[in-house]
Each structure stands twice: as C-alpha cells, then as structure tokens.
Amino acid sequence: GNSVTQMEGPVTLSEEAFLTINCTYTATGYPSLFWYVQYPGEGLQLLLKATKADDKGSNKGFEATYRKETTSFHLEKGSVQVSDSAVYFCALSGQAGTALIFGKGTTLSVSS
Amino acid sequence: DAGVIQSPRHEVTEMGQEVTLRCKPISGHNSLFWYRQTMMRGLELLIYFNNNVPIDDSGMPEDRFSAKMPNASFSTLKIQPSEPRDSAVYFCASSLLGGRPNEKLFFGSGTQLSVL
C-alpha cells in the first residue's frame, strides 16, 4: 500500500540556517504530494503541494520538488526563522476519493 | 468561516468511562476525517466520511471505537469503554472532495484525551 517515510527528528537549527527535511514515498500510480505544518497547540495546515513529477511546490520560503525517479519530496528552506518552529508532515494522496496518508512528522526547533 | 470546530479541547477521564468527541466541519465541505496523533505512531487516519457516509473505517482500532455523522454539519467519535492507551490528540478535518484526489484538509485544533 501507499506509505510515507520522513526523517526522524527533532531537527534543531540556529536562525538563518539551511533546512532540509527528507521525505520519501511508496505509492502505486501517480500520487499528489504535500507538506503540512503544525504549530504548537494547533491543527495541521497545508504548507505546499505538488501534483505531478518535477513540479515544485513553494510557500513562505519553503520549497519541495516532486522527484519521481527517487520517489522523494524533500522540504527545504534557505534561511529558517524562530517562527518556523513546528512539526512538519509529509503526505500523499492517491486515487480520487481516498484520504491523505501522512508521515510521522518531523519536529523543527529554531533558536535565535 | 469559523473553521473546523472540535469539542472539548481537553478531556480527562477514567478508564472504563465513555468518551464522546465532537466535530463541526466547515460549512459546504462534503468530506470529514478523524485522525489520532501519538508520539509513537504519528498521525493515523481512523475513519472518513463522504457525504455523511463512512467510506473507510479500516483505521478504527477496535470495536470500542465508533463514529457517526448524522448530518453534514456534525460528527462524533465515541470510545466505550476507554482505556489508557487511547490517550492521544484526536483531530477532525474536513475538505471539499470534488472527485479529485483530496488536496486540502482543514484541521480543527484537536481534542487532547487523557485516560487515567
């Protein structure tokens, strides 16, 4: 079945450091891929998405490129801020009418 | 729009008691999801509804768990009897599923359940 694997956290960075959170997936067909973010005490919210191979999703300085050849969708940001501290979830959606499948989440902590 | 509304925000109960979690989805959304979040397992899909009909309940742990959606604006997740291992954050989410892969879920703030 479909699944998502994320790098284990927590990830601890200083402000303005470069961020990479790895995500790989297993899926049949051509899934859509997503990154969701969960700020402390809140529900998840969509950060960015990509719906086909080689698409790049971007939002708030974060980027991720849909790589079919490596089945990956790594999240990157060139310069993190303290306000980026949150839990990041990689997710995929397969066939129409199916629910999103989430990875376990990666906690990011940014210090000033 | 007020977003997805869950209640209660926190619930502390004793083992064996019945627990009912409530969710009001965003008006106009036709899909509703219940997820459970724990440190060990991350975010797990329990069940989801489309047009008030349960589509996939394979994630419901066991018969102690049940979910209903009597109308488009309300859903409940019930645990009876509750056990300490049910302690987790339970999220409800809704979306507008128009026959395409589900793209954007809107999550509530969750219910933090502690079973003592």
Side-chain angles (χ1 to χ4, degrees), chain A residues 25-81:
Chain A
Y25 68 90
T26 301
T28 55
Y30 303 93
S32 295
L33 301 173
F34 309 85
W35 278 99
Y36 276 75
V37 59
Q38 183 184 26
Y39 297 105
E42 299 182 8
L44 283 71
Q45 55 187 278
L46 180 64
L47 179 61
L48 54 84
K49 69 178 184 182
T51 56
K52 61 182 188 296
D54 299 326
D55 266 4
K56 177 186 285 187
S58 61
N59 186 25
K60 299 180 180 179
F62 291 89
E63 293 183 340
T65 301
Y66 189 147
R67 301 287 188 199
K68 188 168 176 59
E69 63 276 13
T70 54
T71 62
S72 65
F73 193 55
H74 304 323
L75 182 68
E76 297 182 336
K77 186 174 185 181
S79 176
V80 294
Q81 305 300 312

Side-chain angles (χ1 to χ4, degrees), chain B residues 76-93:
Chain B
T76 60
L77 177 67
K78 185 178 294 186
I79 308 172
Q80 166 63 21
S82 57
E83 296 182 3
R85 60 192 169 116
D86 301 330
S87 299
V89 180
Y90 291 80
F91 285 104
C92 176

Side-chain angles (χ1 to χ4, degrees), chain A residues 34 36 38 41-44 46 49 51 89 93-94 96-100 102 104, chain B residues 9 33 35 37 40 42-43 45 48 91 97 99-105 107-108:
Chain A
F34 309 85
Y36 276 75
Q38 183 184 26
E42 299 182 8
L44 283 71
L46 180 64
K49 69 178 184 182
T51 56
F89 292 86
S93 178
T98 60
L100 285 181
F102 288 89
K104 288 189 174 182
Chain B
R9 190 69 191 269
F33 305 79
Y35 284 89
Q37 184 180 33
M40 289 297 294
L43 199 64
L45 176 68
Y48 88 93
F91 285 104
L97 184 60
R100 301 179 304 166
N102 205 344
E103 290 200 349
K104 186 172 183 178
L105 296 185
F107 280 78

